[in-house]
Each structure stands twice: as structure tokens, then as C-alpha cells.
Amino acid sequence: MSYTAKIGPSILNSNLACLGSECIRMLDCGADYLHLDVMDGHFVPNITFGHPVVECLRKHLGQGPFFDMHMMVSRPEQWVKPMAAAGANQYTFHLEATVNAGALIKDIRENGMKVGLAIKPGTTVEELGPWAGQIDMALVMTVEPGFGGQKFMEDMMPKVNWLRTQFPSLDIEVDGGVGPDTIHKCAEAGANMIVSGSAVMKSDDPRSVINLLRNVCVEAIQKRSLDR
Ligand code: DX5
Ligand code: ZN
């Protein structure tokens, strides 16, 4: 069992006029990585930012923070090189957005980034399965991608559970509606990379929320290792 619990705040619902300082605030509060949501207004009905903003963030924050790019875009192939050049560490694309996942995985690696593969709620986990051996992280969406602050879909947990059983050391991320009320379900199912947007960003005490999310995951990981 080689995975650890990591908490990645999503800055989508932060004060975007102060993106740099919001990221620093999250890192100071103990975030393990930053989950950066890229939307193109085509794959999802919302627009956020692209590689120029990522490049500025990298310059502002230095080399340390790990950037997990959640690419909610059509034709994810076209942004691999620009994102790598901008300083992205992991390129998480949607299985639904590409017809050649194998070639894209190879390209992401050749450009020096880790590979994340995401599925929307309507996509079965069996469709992701054949790629799981070639990726660093599987992202099981727990809302329809596009907006922060939506309700957590508990019926996605069997997907997480299936992945954890089939691929015991894979990093498994959940994203959408995850916070203190829903983290137990995610952790029990086997998720270890936890994206949390509104629950962390809108809290008066983000440090405590991040710690709580991590502690619940750590306990679940320890329990799973004892049960083996
Ligand atoms: C939604 C994004 C999420 C979102 C999470 O499409 O992928 O990362 O910002 O925000 P919450 O935790 O508020 O659902
Ligand atoms: Zn996201």
C-alpha cells in the first residue's frame, strides 16, 4: 500500500481577484497540493482560466507546490505542452473528451507530467479500468463537472471502491461536494486524494477542515491496511 492521504483545495470558489494569495493561504493552512480547474465553456458550461494563469501562479508560488490540473476541456491533447511549460505537475484529463487516451497518456509523460484520468458521473468505472495500470491517478467525479458548491453524489462511491479493490496502490481522487459531511464515505470507499472547494474555501478555519479531511483518510488507510 503505497498511497497516502492528500488534500487538494480547489480554488474555483475562491476570490479569483486574489488567486495568488488565495493559493498561498491554502498552502499555509496545510494543503498538500492545489487542484486547478480548467474549463473551456465547451466540455462544461463554464469558463475559468488556462495556461497563462498557471504560468503566473507558478512564478508567484515557486517550484514547491504540486499543481493538479483538472482539464475540463474538449480536445485535451492541445494543452499538454503549454501546461507543461507553464509548470503543471499533473495533467488530469477526462476520458469522455478524447478518442485516443493511450496516445494522450504517452504525450503527457513525454512532457514530464504525471497522468490523471477523470470520469464524469455518467461514465462507468469499467471504462477507466483498462487505463488504470498506465496512470498515476484516477479521478472519480462526485458531481457533474462545471461548478463548485454542488451536492455530493454518494452513488459514485462504488466506483471508488471498485478501483481501490482492483488497484490497491493507485492514487484515487474524488472531486465535488466533498467536505466534513461527506469525507467519511469517500475515505471508506478508498479515496486518498481529496479535492475540496467550497467546504475549505468558505470556512472560517480552513486549517481545521483540511486537517479533519486528512485525518479521516489516514484512519481509513490504516484500517484498510490492518484488515489485509
Ligand atoms: C467542479 C470542479 C471542482 C469544484 C469542487 O467541476 O471540478 O473541483 O471546484 O468544488 P466543491 O468542493 O465546492 O464541490
Ligand atoms: Zn475539479
Side-chain angles (χ1 to χ4, degrees):
M1 213 179 275
S2 59
Y3 61 93
T4 55
K6 299 183 200 90
I7 312 303
S10 157
I11 44 73
L12 188 61
N13 276 4
S14 68
N15 179 357
L16 294 175
C18 311
L19 190 50
S21 51
E22 287 288 76
C23 289
I24 290 171
R25 184 166 72 94
M26 289 300 115
L27 294 163
D28 287 347
C29 285
D32 297 294
Y33 66 103
L34 295 173
H35 177 88
L36 301 175
D37 290 299
V38 175
M39 305 187 189
D40 67 350
H42 189 262
F43 183 73
V44 289
N46 197 4
I47 299 182
T48 56
F49 52 82
H51 55 91
V53 170
V54 177
E55 188 180 341
C56 292
L57 279 179
R58 178 57 79 200
K59 284 191 183 131
H60 191 67
L61 301 174
Q63 290 307 306
F66 186 90
F67 289 179
D68 171 31
M69 305 307 310
H70 183 189
M71 302 300 296
M72 288 165 275
V73 301
S74 302
R75 296 183 52 225
E77 295 79 10
Q78 67 184 321
W79 306 117
V80 172
K81 278 194 168 52
M83 280 299 178
N89 301 98
Q90 177 160 279
Y91 195 90
T92 301
F93 67 96
H94 270 267
L95 186 57
E96 303 86 2
T98 182
V99 288
N100 195 344
L104 184 48
I105 289 169
K106 187 163 174 280
D107 194 33
I108 295 168
R109 285 213 191 287
E110 283 173 1
N111 279 277
M113 294 181 288
K114 289 184 142 190
V115 180
L117 181 52
I119 49 171
K120 297 206 280 184
T123 304
T124 65
V125 74
E126 286 79 8
E127 292 170 73
L128 188 153
W131 306 107
Q134 300 177 41
I135 61 178
D136 297 290
M137 186 197 83
L139 164 53
V140 174
M141 288 302 298
T142 45
V143 296
E144 284 298 337
F147 301 91
Q150 302 183 76
K151 188 174 180 296
F152 176 75
M153 296 168 75
E154 189 177 337
D155 53 342
M156 296 299 118
M157 292 303 97
K159 294 186 189 180
V160 175
N161 207 3
W162 185 87
L163 282 169
R164 180 52 70 218
T165 308
Q166 299 289 320
F167 305 99
S169 55
L170 183 67
D171 275 327
I172 304 174
E173 186 177 62
V174 283
D175 179 14
V178 181
D181 296 342
T182 50
I183 185 63
H184 290 85
K185 302 279 179 204
C186 301
E188 273 161 32
N192 68 300
M193 290 185 72
I194 308 300
V195 176
S196 185
S198 353
V200 170
M201 300 300 316
K202 296 201 185 308
S203 165
D204 294 335
D205 188 359
R207 179 183 295 278
S208 298
V209 178
I210 289 172
N211 275 335
L212 183 153
L213 298 176
R214 192 187 294 103
N215 289 341
V216 173
C217 279
V218 166
E219 274 172 31
I221 291 170
Q222 283 168 349
K223 181 167 186 300
R224 201 168 303 115
S225 113
L226 289 174
D227 288 349
R228 272 150 65 99

